[in-house]
Amino acid sequence: METSVVLSALGCLLAVLCLMYLAYKQITPIAFSIVASVVVALFSGLPIFETVSGTFAVETGSYVGQYLLLFVFSAIMGRIYQETGAAKTVANGLAKVFGANHPFIPIMLATIILSYAGISNFVSIYAIYPIALELCHRANINKRLIPGCFCCAAWAVAQVAPGSTQIHNIVPMEYLGTGAMAGALPGFLTAALMAVLSILYLNRQVKKQTSQGIVFDSYDELGTYGQDENAKTPPMWMALAPVVVTVVLFDILGINVTIAVAAGDLISLVLMYKYIKPKEWVQVFSEGAKSSIGVLLDISLIIGFGAVVVLTPFYSTVIDWVANSNWNPYILAPAASAVFAGILGSSSSSIALTMETLGDILIEYGVQGYNMDFIHRLVCQAAITLDSLPHCGALLATFSVCKLTHKQSYGPVFVTTVVIPLIAVFLFEVPLCMILG
């Protein structure tokens, strides 16, 4: 292997380790993403200033511009749900069905429903968090476990499962000519396995935390209606109406998701106006919009870093190796997807890159008799194994919305989105596909 490739690989490794360490130390992503990009450029022989001011800055800014309004409207909806008591209404209904002491199943189900409805996980966290917070309040569980539950449901289970409406499931369909339900049997079994193992793990963590005296303590986040048990809250139909409107506009009528979420905000305002004092509505919109900026910027900075990594000799070498490998496709496809996810910190980018680099090769395997539906599902579900390492942009966004840090919550997230998916995909799904296909 050429010296330039070795140095580039070392630089990428050091940069990712740098991202992880600084994220744990709660250093702002603005600082650690720039430092990491400089390290990658330095070791890869790229012009440092041009790389940081050009590729990194431009890609970061492009992502901000593309998703700014979506994040703002989504954050406003989440704030409305908190302050009007709509989140409490939904939480009460879920608690009655599943029991006040079992919050993880309803949190997962609510997240999966929104994901299957086509709502982006960057959007759904704003709607799920206030509901999850209320459920944890009722069960006296510390909110540190919310990201582990949400991320498992949103990333590991829903967005890459058969029938998903997310981009993760759509991209392989376009490249491989498969359907949305491709690999249904191994896909659903793997998703169920990940969900069950994650819930068992989270319940065990609750017992451990409770024994250490770590219980619910986020009363300041519950809003007026969370703190006053006797306060009047919106009825269930009213609490669900904004979400239903958003889903109908986006999924059924095909309206742009940003417009659909904005319409949901408008419906929330019209229906729940009386549940907040008139003079406080301005603050609700202001605080909601302001909270979205940091979340969006955190994600955008990691996207910018990923764009720098794509320019390196190491990255090109990895792609060439994968494209020329003679491994069994049921091993090659998920392995490539997982590796790309770890490098880029993004499952959607990993799936797109796997299809771009291996699409023709995988199609040829289909001609040879391998099951393309299985390959489709393996690529999707392997992408959510290493994508949620500490430098993952979506992870930073989730922690930001939940007002948590890596130190507080990354442990459970790592288990439910890295350890369990790795076990489920490579020790269960891959062997199953090799047996069936």
Side-chain angles (χ1 to χ4, degrees):
M1 185 178 292
E2 297 180 5
T3 303
S4 61
V5 176
V6 174
L7 287 175
S8 179
L10 179 60
C12 290
L13 176 60
L14 289 176
V16 171
L17 292 175
C18 176
L19 286 173
M20 295 180 183
Y21 176 76
L22 295 177
Y24 259 101
K25 289 297 182 180
Q26 300 181 45
I27 305 299
T28 172
I30 296 178
F32 68 64
S33 58
I34 293 177
V35 170
S37 297
V38 169
V39 170
V40 169
L42 183 64
F43 278 78
S44 299
L46 301 173
I48 295 177
F49 180 76
E50 288 80 358
T51 299
V52 175
S53 64
T55 301
F56 172 78
V58 170
E59 290 300 322
T60 298
S62 176
Y63 195 89
V64 170
Q66 185 176 357
Y67 291 104
L68 176 61
L69 292 180
L70 175 60
F71 275 70
V72 168
F73 292 139
S74 299
I76 288 174
M77 180 177 288
R79 189 75 177 189
I80 291 174
Y81 266 62
Q82 282 181 292
E83 296 302 325
T84 60
K88 185 175 181 179
T89 296
V90 176
N92 288 344
L94 292 172
K96 289 179 181 178
V97 175
F98 296 99
N101 295 322
H102 301 89
F104 299 124
I105 294 178
I107 291 173
M108 279 198 175
L109 287 177
T111 302
I112 290 170
I113 289 171
L114 287 181
S115 182
Y116 262 86
I119 304 301
S120 166
N121 298 318
F122 296 132
V123 176
S124 64
I125 181 58
Y126 287 102
I128 294 297
Y129 176 62
I131 296 172
L133 192 67
E134 285 285 355
L135 288 168
C136 286
H137 174 216
R138 290 180 168 277
N140 197 29
I141 294 173
N142 194 279
K143 72 172 186 176
R144 296 179 191 179
L145 296 176
I146 291 177
C149 184
F150 170 80
C151 293
C152 171
W155 306 346
V157 177
Q159 71 180 8
V160 292
S164 170
T165 56
Q166 300 292 330
I167 190 66
H168 307 70
N169 195 40
I170 295 172
V171 169
M173 292 168 56
E174 296 175 344
Y175 276 88
L176 304 179
T178 47
M181 292 295 291
L185 178 60
F188 280 128
L189 289 176
T190 302
L193 178 61
M194 288 189 284
V196 170
L197 291 178
S198 294
I199 290 175
L200 291 175
Y201 164 76
L202 291 169
N203 285 334
R204 184 175 180 179
Q205 287 301 107
V206 169
K207 294 180 180 179
K208 180 180 178 180
Q209 289 189 356
T210 301
S211 67
Q212 298 173 344
I214 302 175
V215 294
F216 187 85
D217 58 4
S218 305
Y219 295 98
D220 59 322
E221 290 188 60
L222 293 175
T224 304
Y225 290 90
Q227 297 176 33
D228 184 358
E229 291 295 328
N230 297 315
K232 185 178 180 181
T233 60
M236 181 62 78
W237 72 266
M238 189 180 294
L240 294 178
V243 175
V244 172
V245 168
T246 301
V247 169
V248 169
L249 289 177
F250 177 57
D251 284 296
I252 299 178
L253 300 181
I255 303 297
N256 178 278
V257 66
T258 301
I259 297 175
V261 175
D265 288 348
L266 181 60
I267 294 297
S268 299
L269 173 62
V270 172
L271 294 179
M272 305 180 200
Y273 183 80
K274 68 178 182 180
Y275 292 93
I276 298 178
K277 295 178 181 178
K279 63 180 181 181
E280 295 178 356
W281 270 103
V282 174
Q283 183 177 359
V284 168
F285 275 79
S286 176
E287 292 297 322
K290 186 168 66 175
S291 69
S292 70
I293 303 303
V295 177
L296 175 57
L297 185 58
D298 287 350
I299 298 174
S300 302
L301 289 164
I302 299 302
I303 296 296
F305 167 73
V308 173
V309 172
V310 170
L311 300 177
T312 65
F314 167 65
Y315 188 78
S316 298
T317 300
V318 170
I319 290 178
D320 290 341
W321 174 79
V322 169
N324 295 303
S325 174
N326 58 1
W327 287 9
N328 183 302
Y330 295 149
I331 299 177
L332 172 64
S337 185
V339 169
F340 291 152
I343 294 174
L344 299 175
S346 167
S347 56
S348 59
S349 297
S350 165
I351 293 170
L353 183 61
T354 301
M355 290 296 104
E356 289 175 6
T357 56
L358 292 178
D360 292 340
I361 297 174
L362 296 177
I363 291 174
E364 180 60 32
Y365 279 122
V367 175
Q368 296 175 22
Y370 289 96
N371 191 312
M372 296 301 291
D373 286 350
F374 288 177
I375 292 175
H376 171 146
R377 195 54 50 203
L378 286 168
V379 168
C380 288
Q381 294 184 306
I384 47 81
T385 55
L386 298 180
D387 68 315
S388 45
L389 295 177
H391 63 297
C392 171
L395 180 62
L396 295 175
T398 300
F399 283 164
S400 181
V401 172
C402 297
K403 299 179 179 64
L404 290 165
T405 65
H406 280 74
K407 185 176 182 180
Q408 291 173 311
S409 284
Y410 185 66
V413 171
F414 181 75
V415 173
T416 62
T417 66
V418 178
V419 176
I420 289 176
L422 279 172
I423 293 172
V425 171
F426 288 99
L427 297 184
F428 174 75
E429 188 174 24
V430 168
L432 179 61
C433 288
M434 293 178 74
I435 293 172
L436 297 176

